[in-house]
Amino acid sequence: MLEIKNLHKGYNNRSVIHGIDLCVHRGEIHGLIGSNGAGKTTLLKCAAGIYKPAQGTVQYDEKSIYDNPEVKANVAYVSEQLDFINIYSVAGMAIYYQNFYDTFSGEKFDDLVKRFALNPKKNIGTLSKGQRSKLSFILAIAQQPKYLIMDEPESGMDAESKAMFRDILIEEVEKEQIGVLFSGHDLADVERMCDSVTMMEAGEIFAQKSVDEFMESVQKWKGILPQEAADDKRFAMTIHAASRIGDLSEFYTVGEREESERILHKLGIGEYSGQQITLEEIYMLLKKIHMQGRGRVSDVQTEGGLQNG
């Protein structure tokens, strides 16, 4: 298990991440989501043993990773920077990696290069950003790590390559029981791939659950919101991000579905029905709640009565 406890890290007397607690078990894919500058890359570099924590611990199977080659040998890191030795060919990078990683599988490397349709003879300096992202992922998987840390691993990939990336990652996690921690901006992909998700803003975690728990904790509805309901103080505590089209409004509730329905009924909101919701919608709503009320749902007010959005 990767276990991060009370992690703090900053630069030039400025705190970047603070009080981070996070666990990733082998065989699990854990996603990090947050806006640019939320601290995801700093967290991932601490998790990969590149940065030394200012406070707190990063441990793999109860052993610290920083300055510990034995632990680092079991962890592969895919950087958003995609730094390579540009004079090498694709195949040449495999030879280079074999000199450093005893577990590196040339057979797995060759198989993934074929699946991603990369030319092994092509010079790395001529590869597109998407092709370099593929190569970085291939090299990490070929290391046969126990844990995989990735920062925006799909950057530059086209839709077909992203689908293949997802399939291969899930296949390797299931087959080899790799523990994965990665950041991603495509929340549809995060929803498809991940078992659990951490949501970050301004260097701290504001929500952390399994994907299933997130999908159960926020509900999306369509129904009629009478004006008299808006005068009830429970309305502002219950209804979030309402938007109206004609007589019908779309809105969200947070918490247990049965309790939310009970309050909607008491508010006299009629003819409402549950709607399909995405992880992206949940993230945007919970981030808004966090930013406006520092995580206190009761502090969130709807904007503009029934016309808010």
Side-chain angles (χ1 to χ4, degrees), residues 219-234:
Q219 303 84 41
K220 182 179 180 181
W221 311 94
K222 182 180 287 186
I224 299 172
L225 299 180
Q227 185 59 49
E228 55 268 25
D231 297 331
D232 191 313
K233 66 179 181 179
R234 290 172 298 182

Side-chain angles (χ1 to χ4, degrees), residues 10-15:
Y11 318 100
N12 300 320
N13 296 319
R14 182 177 67 89
S15 176

